[in-house]
Amino acid sequence: MFDSKMLTSFVIKSSLCKYSNMKIGGDAAYLLAPQNVSDLSSIIKEANAQNLQILPVGGGSNILFGNVGNRVIILDAYLSEIFQVDNDTVIVSSNMKISSFIDKAMQYGLGGMEFISGIPAHIGGAIHMNAGAFEKCISDYLYWVEYVDMKGNVITIDRKDLEFGYRTTSIIGFIVRAAFKLDKKTKKQILADKEDIISKRFERHPYDYPSLGSTFKNPKGKFVGQLIEECGLKGLQIGEAQISEKHANFIINLGNATFNDVYELIKIVQETVEKQKGIELKLEIKVIN
Ligand SMILES: Cc1cc2nc3c(=O)[nH]c(=O)nc-3n(C[C@H](O)[C@H](O)[C@H](O)COP(=O)(O)OP(=O)(O)OC[C@H]3O[C@@H](n4cnc5c(N)ncnc54)[C@H](O)[C@@H]3O)c2cc1C
């Protein structure tokens, strides 16, 4: 068992549904919220010594919680928030919301990352997922990353020494800080670009219900939303989970959806698209079960 005696001050007694944008989740054996990097490092070391998997949680906008077992779930929420500017470089803590990051950088006439406006994520989660939209991704602006590795060591690594792919990164550990090199832009232009992106998102995506964004990755050269729609699955409902009428790659929580409701929809979509289109859909969201 994970010896939480020395870690009692980090333990949070709360349901995981509070930490997922999908508003689904039950109890966790270990839900921890360290307040500094040194405590975070101790937790990771302890988890590693006990052979327990860790799960960093940022904005929770891509995590579907099921039975999390003995995973050590670590929130970034109580770490200190950092935002420092040096010329065109911004150093930011992983727990900052994307919206705050864009707004703060704008005050310094720095922009470029407006394409991720409207994503309800934190910087660390967005780096882990290499969040992207409108043919750009967050790694395009990344300069360096600081993270705690699985042995508890704090590592700083340059962007050029990292690999990023379609919602993937080579970093294994808990990201704590990052530096981005931004473009010099007027506040007016940043604001206009941000508003344009947000209005496009609201037009295309179902923001009126809890969701985790795109459920599946787009197969090469195809749009998964279109494939799901062509299979006649748009609007399909299991319990209180539904394949959104607005965008078929979003699964929404109509109220009291359960993990099983969402999981069943995922399986139906994968099986139907495989059968009708011969395409195997890969999950973009992280299903923790
Ligand atoms: C309405 C909506 C719209 C969305 N639109 C987009 C979009 O346009 N493009 C896009 O790419 N995604 C989109 N998403 C998905 C999601 O927001 C992104 O994947 C985002 O990057 C997740 O960030 P997060 O902080 O919420 O991470 P979480 O959901 O908390 O975690 C996601 C993954 O990152 C890991 N992680 C979190 N924090 C850290 C950390 N500090 N260090 C290491 N690993 C960490 C977690 O363990 C997990 O594996 C959307 C989601 C929603 C709900």
Side-chain angles (χ1 to χ4, degrees):
M1 289 293 282
F2 191 61
D3 177 12
S4 61
K5 238 190 233 159
M6 69 165 194
L7 305 170
T8 39
S9 56
F10 319 132
V11 174
I12 302 275
K13 298 239 174 297
S14 173
S15 164
L16 288 170
C17 69
K18 197 173 155 196
Y19 302 103
S20 166
N21 201 60
M22 195 66 172
K23 306 289 172 237
I24 293 175
D27 292 336
Y30 309 114
L31 176 59
L32 306 175
Q35 297 183 11
N36 56 53
V37 175
S38 154
D39 291 344
L40 170 63
S41 165
S42 309
I43 291 170
I44 294 178
K45 256 191 223 159
E46 174 93 6
N48 208 27
Q50 301 286 331
N51 243 333
L52 296 174
Q53 251 179 289
I54 66 150
L55 180 77
V57 175
S61 62
N62 224 15
I63 303 182
L64 178 65
F65 290 117
N67 178 358
V68 299
N70 273 344
R71 283 185 186 84
V72 180
I73 297 175
I74 310 175
L75 306 177
D76 67 7
Y78 293 13
L79 293 168
S80 4
E81 210 169 78
I82 298 166
F83 185 88
Q84 293 162 342
V85 177
D86 179 11
N87 198 14
D88 64 347
T89 304
V90 178
I91 297 173
V92 60
S93 52
S94 59
N95 58 351
M96 185 168 283
K97 285 183 182 165
I98 280 177
S99 54
S100 310
F101 172 78
I102 288 170
D103 287 350
K104 281 178 194 268
M106 179 173 70
Q107 298 310 321
Y108 292 84
L110 293 172
M113 281 169 53
E114 296 75 62
F115 62 93
I116 49 171
S117 298
I119 302 184
H122 293 185
I123 288 289
I127 294 172
H128 179 85
M129 295 303 297
N130 193 18
F134 303 99
E135 276 145 44
K136 288 181 179 178
C137 48
I138 195 166
S139 57
D140 297 342
Y141 285 85
L142 197 59
Y143 185 26
W144 53 254
V145 175
E146 188 177 275
Y147 68 100
V148 180
D149 74 6
M150 300 313 291
K151 290 185 178 141
N153 301 315
V154 180
I155 312 279
T156 306
I157 184 163
D158 274 4
R159 159 69 184 95
K160 62 175 167 42
D161 299 319
L162 289 168
E163 280 171 31
F164 286 94
Y166 179 15
R167 307 290 170 264
T168 64
T169 167
S170 54
I171 302 167
I172 300 175
F174 196 115
I175 298 161
V176 285
R177 279 197 313 161
F180 294 95
K181 275 204 179 287
L182 299 184
D183 304 329
K184 294 216 158 99
K185 272 174 93 168
T186 62
K187 282 187 199 172
K188 198 175 161 198
Q189 191 57 55
I190 295 169
L191 206 56
D193 290 348
K194 183 181 119 171
E195 280 172 2
D196 177 49
I197 296 289
I198 290 176
S199 72
K200 282 191 177 117
R201 284 185 178 280
F202 274 69
E203 221 171 85
R204 297 173 193 179
H205 299 154
Y207 270 83
D208 37 0
Y209 288 99
S211 81
L212 297 171
S214 298
T215 313
F216 304 98
K217 293 185 180 186
N218 285 320
K220 248 200 169 103
K222 310 241 182 252
F223 289 108
V224 73
Q226 197 181 335
L227 294 173
I228 297 170
E229 202 174 335
E230 285 168 7
C231 289
L233 296 172
K234 213 175 191 184
L236 182 69
Q237 193 177 328
I238 305 274
E240 294 202 19
Q242 188 189 42
I243 296 174
S244 165
E245 297 272 9
K246 199 162 181 184
H247 193 303
N249 199 16
F250 279 58
I251 295 178
I252 55 173
N253 181 354
L254 296 173
N256 290 309
T258 62
F259 172 83
N260 287 336
D261 294 340
V262 179
Y263 199 64
E264 214 177 307
L265 275 181
I266 289 172
K267 291 287 148 213
I268 291 172
V269 170
Q270 284 178 321
E271 280 163 23
T272 311
V273 172
E274 169 107 58
K275 208 163 151 197
Q276 291 193 23
K277 304 278 181 185
I279 295 172
E280 192 193 334
L281 293 184
K282 298 241 161 52
L283 279 174
E284 178 167 325
I285 62 167
K286 304 288 181 188
V287 175
I288 310 299
N289 199 31

